[in-house]
Amino acid sequence: MRDIAIPKHFDSGSAQDRWYNYWEEKGYFKGSADSASEKYTIVIPPPNVTGVLTLGHVLNNTLQDILIRWQKMKGKEICWVPGTDHAGIATQSKVETYLKKEKNLTRYDLGREDFLEHVWEWKEKYGGRIIEQLRKLGVACDWERERFTLDDGLSDAVEDVFIKLYKKGLIYKGKRIINWCPKSRTALSDEEVIHKEEKGNLWHIKYPLANGNGELVVATTRPETMLGDTAVAVHPEDERYKDFIGKTIMLPIVKREIPVIADKFVDKEFGTGAVKVTPAHDPNDYGMGERHHLPMINVMNDDGTMNQAAGEEFNGLDRFKCRKILVEKLQKQGSLVKVEEHLHKVGYSERGNVPVEPRLSDQWFVKMKTLAEPALKVVADKKIKFYPERWTKTYNHWLENIKDWCISRQLWWGHRIPAYYCSGCGEIMVAKTQPEKCKKCHTKELHRDEDVLDTWFSSWLWPFSVFGWPHDNNDLKEFYPTNSLVTGPDIIFFWVARMIMAGLEFMDEIPFSEVYFTSIIRDEQGRKMSKSLNNSPDPLDVIDHYGADALRFSIIYIAPVGQDIKYSNEKCDIGKHFATKIWNAARFRLMQAPLSENWDSLENISTENLRDDDIWILSKLDKKVTELSDALTDFEFHKYAHDIYEFIWSEFCDWYIESAKSVFFKGSEPEKKTVFNVFDYAFSRILRLLHPIMPFLTEELYHEMGYVTEKDSIMLSPWPKVFNKKLKAQLQITDEKEKLVNNKFELISAARNIKSTYNIPNVQKTPFCIKPVDKKAEEFLCSDMSGLKTLLNAEMLTLIKDDSELDGPAPSSVSSLGSVYLPLRGVIDIEEEKKKLNKQEKELQALLKGINAKLSNENFVNRAPEKVVKREKERKIEFEEKLKRLNNMMNNL
RNA sequence: GGGCGAUUAGCUCAGUUGGCUAGAGCGUCACGUUUACACCGUGAAUGUCGCAGGUUCGAGUCCUGCAUCGCCCACCA
């Protein structure tokens, strides 16, 4: 054995920084448009610039990195564009909170310019954090291409798109009911509203007729909005209220006369069947307001307090405080009929976490219908494929029922809307730069729209804006459309669908052809990771403790297919132990001898020294190359991780290395040379197959082993290919050979089982006898007695033809290739032996019973595929034969 | 109210177009520091595949219904 100084464990900490810097310095992450190779492009889902790395990012970016590294090894010119998102509301509120806390200032105290300066400062200070953290994970992003959604180039794209859509009539400004967040004081899109089920009340309020002859009772969940009521609606066919239609109501408290209208929207069954109508504060009421030309009275300020229109008494009160006082007042004056408990859904602002207020307001919108149609078509036509496919249903449903997109936000942090208003005549002008004068009345007094655009209005352009669009260039030509998008299903509407629409509208081409939707990471109890629960581990701590490779591997290994992941740090042991296992396999190999000269080829291998076990591992490897490539092609990352784990641990380490030991320790030089060659070849391929998921470990070992050539990184080595027919024939790889070796291993397990039954330590060498089942088995076993002896840890191994050659009864077991005996005098425990053989007999009998039932069933024999029937017949013969041997053994006891 | 998903060994999950003797990791039990690895090895135990029907020669896999859990969407005040 060679005396070499390799530690027993992989030092992930030192390897990570070392290799990451190495790759970056060498420029291996860079994607060049000039390359002649086929391009493979991914754009990162840009994390919020203020964010910190979470396990969600770890999963998402590991998946992208697997794809990128795999494609690079397959010879593609890769380009993975990283970047961050300015995240309008999130960032602005973060900085506002900070300013309030540290300096007791609001954004209004500072004014727009000063405030934005503070946000930029904040961004410079903390914005790079998540990017730095991503590097620790080992991701192969082309950092020179890093983009930020508020960069000049991207802002340029945003303005361009706004102007284009405006000119096309797809962007318009209008007064609509929108979702208003009273905390952030901005409009929101429908998607930014989260509906939560809550226990509320249904207040029944008496509304008297103005003429004093009767009253209607209305039911409402938001009594404070009655201050803005401009009608009461009933169903036109509601017999109870027929006579009320057309009359007027005297609105309580407010003392305003409002009409009773008939509208089919009203559900006769719900509440009292009479609905108060507040067009300025409810989307449905707004609809009725339009249909019946009702006045629309906005009774609230932008911060959720009541305004003057609500009446002097309520002016300035918070909406919920107002509700309370108003209800008390109604009760006092006898207008409150009853209060019912009522379970209903309340819309909350995603960021502000307060109930949103439907509010009539002047906003900018994008007409979505025409954009949606082509987006539906490309997915229906499978030009874009979703994985898992079921998400197409969600996607279709949203696009088929799409509503106009409210894109203006009353914030300061974001892309300012490129619209200018004439102070004289109010004319709207949409342009990149401020026009000289009003195009209508020619006054020179113009002012720019104060609002900014929804953050997603820049993100939806991401796949082409990052490459310099709207300016024509080579990057855009070469890298767009991109290939795969990896993202969470929670942003199908926000981002994925909109990117598809934008790609088709502005580039006339799909933005990507495959979308992989990741799982959501939860804690062990299945709860969402959240700050308040403090159940969200910091990935950097995990990397410190287990290593980036271990984290990457484990998270993919435990991720169920299309389901949520239940994560706990301890699960990273899987990856860490796996890394150690591989590390020691390499260490063991280097302890034997230096690397084979011709490790990279099998063409010149001496076939006469090639053992069946060598052929076996090459055959397994060959199949694994196909399996793993297929798994990655189909985005079956979980399968990829499990398959390679199984292959390396069970097949390569447990069987092949153990088998190779007989040659390593006792073989002749030519024999050793051949086995080293096979080992080195196979191990180099193993490292390559593993590289996408464990980049640091594989790079380290690639160098340790000496696999590097002029190509000085595993990143540059090719993804393994399957053997061609000629090589397969030369290496004598056949399914039959593979099966024979499998059966040999089965026999070895049976032998070990005997030892274990008698509590003989595995380390203790014992004699074994094998009675081969036939001539062929005998020849096969004879071909490598030394290897067999090693695997059995046998002190002596004899092939026998008949039980009489044994010195009395011996513990035994049957296997496909033959019967195994442990001929140790005095060891046998007849009762124990009977028990064991009995159990085996019962199992076989049960199996045979099933098989016989099938084979004696005419329907089965006639209707089942020939292949299946044939197999059953073979199994029948095999089991009957085994059973016979077993019975013999029992008789001989 | 619609839609989607889940239900398989103590736990976390695999099980392709129906052909299985239902698997893996962790955990459990027994034996063991063998000359890669105790972050290891060898062996073992453990399942009415949520429930009820149906189709089929054959169902964990397909169909119908039900139950429980989870998610998404929807204007019932």
Side-chain angles (χ1 to χ4, degrees):
Chain A
M1 200 170 34
R2 296 205 305 163
D3 186 19
I4 50 163
I6 303 178
K8 282 191 178 182
H9 299 275
F10 169 50
D11 179 4
S12 57
S14 91
Q16 281 159 208
D17 290 342
R18 191 156 26 89
W19 292 121
Y20 201 79
N21 291 335
Y22 181 83
W23 293 326
E24 227 182 333
E25 274 163 26
K26 296 268 182 177
Y28 294 153
F29 298 162
K30 274 194 253 180
S32 163
D34 300 331
S35 161
S37 309
E38 197 184 327
K39 309 294 184 297
Y40 182 83
T41 317
I42 294 182
V43 291
I44 205 170
N48 288 359
V49 70
T50 58
V52 290
L53 195 70
T54 64
L55 285 168
H57 295 118
V58 168
L59 172 66
N60 178 260
N61 288 287
T62 297
L63 292 169
Q64 293 173 72
D65 201 39
I66 289 174
L67 292 172
I68 279 286
R69 288 176 181 273
W70 173 51
Q71 293 290 346
K72 184 173 177 74
M73 292 175 88
K74 292 213 314 178
K76 304 268 176 69
E77 178 70 12
I78 52 151
C79 182
W80 183 7
V81 184
T84 48
D85 192 300
H86 68 279
I89 303 182
T91 307
Q92 175 162 326
S93 0
K94 209 164 228 178
V95 178
E96 282 187 289
T97 311
Y98 164 81
L99 284 173
K100 185 81 203 165
K101 201 176 147 202
E102 296 297 316
K103 303 185 176 167
N104 197 27
L105 288 172
T106 69
R107 65 168 146 140
Y108 306 102
D109 296 333
L110 287 167
R112 188 167 193 137
E113 296 284 310
D114 276 359
F115 176 73
L116 283 179
E117 224 167 88
H118 273 94
V119 187
W120 277 106
E121 261 174 42
W122 172 282
K123 187 253 166 188
E124 292 312 321
K125 201 166 165 191
Y126 301 109
R129 204 159 37 155
I130 192 156
I131 294 298
E132 281 313 307
Q133 292 175 326
L134 272 175
R135 299 166 105 93
K136 295 276 177 211
L137 196 60
V139 293
C141 292
D142 185 350
W143 294 110
E144 285 171 24
R145 293 179 181 273
E146 187 184 337
R147 297 285 185 276
F148 177 52
T149 48
L150 273 178
D151 281 349
D152 289 344
L154 276 70
S155 302
D156 205 31
V158 166
E159 286 179 355
D160 238 66
V161 159
F162 188 93
I163 293 163
K164 267 203 178 107
L165 290 177
Y166 181 76
K167 285 198 174 140
K168 225 177 157 179
L170 290 179
I171 281 186
Y172 64 91
K173 191 171 189 185
K175 221 174 186 136
R176 298 289 134 89
I177 287 270
I178 46 83
N179 308 291
W180 184 264
C181 174
K183 192 169 175 202
S184 314
R185 296 205 234 171
T186 177
L188 301 173
S189 66
D190 294 341
E191 289 70 37
E192 286 164 294
V193 178
I194 297 164
H195 296 274
K196 296 187 193 174
E197 192 153 89
E198 268 186 7
K199 235 190 236 168
N201 288 321
L202 199 55
W203 284 273
H204 294 244
I205 305 166
K206 260 192 262 182
Y207 277 26
L209 281 179
N211 62 18
N213 296 331
E215 61 190 22
L216 277 174
V217 176
V218 300
T220 180
T221 53
R222 293 188 303 155
E224 70 280 7
T225 60
M226 73 175 283
L227 301 170
D229 282 359
T230 53
V232 172
V234 296
H235 194 276
E237 280 140 37
D238 194 331
E239 292 300 325
R240 295 172 293 177
Y241 303 126
K242 243 186 172 160
D243 296 340
F244 287 81
I245 299 167
K247 304 234 164 84
T248 57
I249 291 281
M250 181 56 70
L251 189 61
I253 312 277
V254 184
K255 304 285 182 239
R256 176 164 61 231
E257 266 192 58
I258 56 173
V260 178
I261 58 170
D263 196 292
K264 280 186 183 156
F265 164 78
V266 179
D267 179 355
K268 287 189 279 187
E269 309 303 319
F270 188 88
T272 60
V275 188
K276 59 188 275 311
V277 184
T278 324
H281 290 284
D282 184 282
N284 300 313
D285 293 7
Y286 177 78
M288 286 196 271
E290 286 220 302
R291 285 195 289 277
H292 299 273
H293 311 289
L294 300 171
M296 307 195 178
I297 306 173
N298 188 339
V299 293
M300 274 182 224
N301 295 310
D302 63 6
D303 60 353
T305 58
M306 308 310 288
N307 65 17
Q308 203 126 33
E312 240 1 275
E313 180 181 357
F314 303 107
N315 189 8
L317 278 182
D318 175 78
R319 50 187 167 154
F320 297 113
K321 185 112 193 225
C322 169
R323 175 181 297 177
K324 198 168 161 253
I325 292 173
L326 187 63
V327 168
E328 276 166 13
K329 204 163 172 188
L330 285 168
Q331 186 164 24
K332 225 175 253 171
Q333 68 174 48
S335 297
L336 191 64
V337 180
K338 65 171 171 177
V339 186
E340 280 179 315
E341 273 207 351
H342 182 60
L343 201 64
H344 65 148
K345 294 268 174 94
V346 179
Y348 274 74
S349 144
E350 191 191 19
R351 296 288 170 191
N353 199 28
V354 292
V356 294
E357 199 58 53
R359 187 168 193 246
L360 188 62
S361 126
D362 222 7
Q363 303 287 347
W364 289 92
F365 296 89
V366 181
K367 280 188 195 162
M368 299 303 276
K369 200 88 202 156
T370 50
L371 295 176
E373 274 158 24
L376 276 165
K377 191 163 169 9
V378 290
V379 173
D381 294 349
K382 306 264 161 137
K383 288 194 176 110
I384 297 178
K385 283 194 201 153
F386 286 178
Y387 298 83
E389 209 211 331
R390 67 185 149 89
W391 291 111
T392 52
K393 266 203 165 176
T394 308
Y395 173 87
N396 288 344
H397 184 257
W398 186 72
L399 282 171
E400 280 158 8
N401 298 287
I402 198 158
K403 289 183 205 135
D404 288 357
W405 176 16
C406 175
I407 50 170
S408 41
R409 297 287 177 275
Q410 287 63 51
L411 305 170
W412 290 347
W413 176 244
H415 302 93
R416 194 152 171 194
I417 292 174
Y420 300 86
Y421 304 95
C422 171
S423 305
C425 68
E427 176 72 6
I428 300 174
M429 284 151 281
V430 166
K432 267 212 146 142
T433 50
Q434 180 158 346
E436 288 248 322
K437 53 187 182 186
C438 173
K439 66 179 180 192
K440 206 167 154 197
C441 71
H442 308 294
T443 63
K444 291 193 173 174
E445 256 189 63
L446 303 179
H447 61 275
R448 188 169 183 177
D449 197 307
E450 292 294 324
D451 293 347
V452 300
L453 290 159
D454 181 2
T455 302
W456 299 103
F457 196 85
S458 56
S459 328
W460 76 327
L461 313 176
W462 188 248
F464 46 90
S465 64
V466 294
F467 293 116
W469 188 90
H471 307 288
D472 217 8
N473 68 76
N474 218 21
D475 276 353
L476 200 57
K477 215 178 329 175
E478 291 294 323
F479 294 122
Y480 189 93
T482 72
N483 296 81
S484 313
L485 178 78
V486 178
T487 191
D490 50 330
I491 52 174
I492 289 185
F493 311 141
F494 282 113
W495 198 45
V496 180
R498 286 175 184 155
M499 274 194 289
I500 295 174
M501 292 189 262
L504 292 169
E505 174 70 17
F506 305 113
M507 298 294 296
D508 218 14
E509 233 178 326
I510 51 171
F512 32 72
S513 44
E514 301 167 315
V515 186
Y516 179 78
F517 291 108
T518 63
S519 321
I520 292 168
I521 305 202
R522 297 170 176 281
D523 72 5
E524 270 199 304
Q525 280 107 57
R527 301 174 305 182
K528 264 195 176 155
M529 297 281 184
S530 78
K531 273 188 194 144
S532 54
L533 282 171
N534 198 24
N535 61 348
S536 177
D538 181 349
L540 295 187
D541 292 343
V542 182
I543 289 173
D544 277 348
H545 197 261
Y546 294 91
D549 285 327
L551 172 59
R552 290 168 61 119
F553 185 85
S554 304
I555 208 159
I556 304 296
Y557 187 89
I558 63 170
V561 187
Q563 294 299 121
D564 294 350
I565 298 174
K566 288 189 184 155
Y567 175 90
S568 66
N569 280 343
E570 299 74 54
K571 287 187 177 162
C572 290
D573 275 335
I574 300 169
K576 197 180 174 190
H577 295 176
F578 187 40
T580 306
K581 186 74 183 175
I582 299 161
W583 181 260
N584 278 290
R587 182 167 158 264
F588 173 64
R589 169 61 188 86
L590 290 175
M591 285 162 96
Q592 309 309 314
L595 188 74
S596 315
E597 257 173 54
N598 44 354
W599 61 269
D600 203 19
S601 151
L602 294 169
E603 314 270 337
N604 300 316
I605 208 160
S606 133
T607 46
E608 68 189 84
N609 288 322
L610 207 57
R611 305 164 311 143
D612 292 324
D613 294 6
D614 297 317
I615 296 166
W616 177 83
I617 194 66
L618 292 172
S619 174
K620 289 278 185 186
L621 171 69
D622 196 43
K623 284 182 178 156
K624 209 49 74 170
V625 169
T626 306
E627 259 174 55
L628 296 175
S629 307
D630 288 352
L632 289 177
T633 303
D634 298 335
F635 295 96
E636 293 178 320
F637 299 102
H638 175 277
K639 185 172 190 298
Y640 163 69
H642 279 260
D643 280 358
I644 198 160
Y645 183 91
E646 154 86 11
F647 177 60
I648 293 176
W649 204 303
S650 310
E651 292 174 343
F652 190 74
C653 292
D654 288 349
W655 285 113
Y656 184 67
I657 293 186
E658 289 309 317
S659 143
K661 280 179 180 172
S662 75
V663 178
F664 289 174
F665 300 159
K666 289 174 280 184
S668 67
E669 282 312 311
E671 282 167 347
K672 279 191 194 171
K673 198 178 160 197
T674 302
V675 177
F676 281 137
N677 193 347
V678 172
F679 187 109
D680 296 342
Y681 178 91
F683 195 63
S684 69
R685 268 57 185 178
I686 282 174
L687 291 179
R688 292 181 197 175
L689 291 169
L690 188 66
H691 176 72
I693 196 167
M694 297 184 110
F696 296 115
L697 172 79
T698 49
E699 183 74 284
E700 179 95 343
L701 286 178
Y702 218 66
H703 287 256
E704 283 286 342
M705 293 292 294
Y707 287 137
V708 281
T709 54
E710 72 280 2
K711 291 179 175 173
D712 56 4
S713 164
I714 192 170
M715 284 188 78
L716 304 181
S717 66
W719 183 255
K721 288 195 179 70
V722 293
F723 297 137
N724 59 41
K725 264 192 185 153
K726 196 183 139 210
L727 187 59
K728 239 172 137 171
Q730 187 195 327
L731 297 170
Q732 305 158 49
I733 294 175
T734 59
D735 285 345
E736 201 200 348
K737 180 62 66 65
E738 196 188 303
K739 197 180 169 197
L740 274 174
V741 177
N742 282 336
N743 286 342
K744 179 169 83 177
F745 294 158
E746 181 211 337
L747 181 148
I748 290 161
S749 291
R752 289 168 176 169
N753 185 315
I754 304 174
K755 259 178 149 175
S756 177
T757 308
Y758 288 93
N759 273 339
I760 300 167
N762 196 45
V763 64
Q764 187 181 318
K765 284 192 192 294
T766 57
F768 276 111
C769 291
I770 298 171
K771 188 169 69 176
V773 75
D774 56 21
K775 193 79 192 156
K776 204 172 125 203
E778 186 184 342
E779 274 169 23
F780 171 69
L781 291 171
C782 276
S783 70
D784 185 15
M785 288 293 276
S786 161
L788 198 53
K789 232 176 120 178
T790 306
L791 287 169
L792 286 167
N793 199 26
E795 103 186 310
M796 209 170 67
L797 179 60
T798 332
L799 295 190
I800 57 170
K801 286 203 159 38
D802 193 87
D803 287 0
S804 60
E805 294 174 49
L806 292 163
D807 189 13
S812 56
S813 188
V814 294
S815 86
S816 309
L817 279 180
S819 308
V820 202
Y821 301 86
L822 180 70
L824 268 187
R825 198 185 288 268
V827 134
I828 193 161
D829 175 336
I830 303 288
E831 285 314 305
E832 191 62 38
E833 199 59 20
K834 270 188 185 158
K835 222 167 84 187
K836 190 185 74 196
L837 295 178
N838 256 325
K839 197 185 143 215
Q840 285 185 27
E841 187 193 23
K842 278 214 179 96
E843 280 168 7
L844 278 172
Q845 277 169 343
L847 286 172
L848 270 172
K849 199 178 155 196
I851 292 168
N852 285 329
K854 275 188 191 173
L855 288 175
S856 58
N857 180 343
E858 241 175 79
N859 280 325
F860 173 77
V861 179
N862 292 335
R863 296 195 201 186
E866 212 177 308
K867 212 174 75 187
V868 177
V869 178
K870 195 179 152 220
R871 224 190 102 230
E872 291 302 310
K873 284 182 177 163
E874 284 168 1
R875 290 193 336 140
K876 181 180 158 84
I877 294 169
E878 187 192 330
F879 294 156
E880 279 174 346
E881 188 276 329
K882 270 189 182 172
L883 197 61
K884 212 172 102 192
R885 278 192 279 148
L886 210 55
N887 286 328
N888 263 334
M889 284 175 178
M890 288 160 86
N891 291 336
N892 288 339
L893 282 178

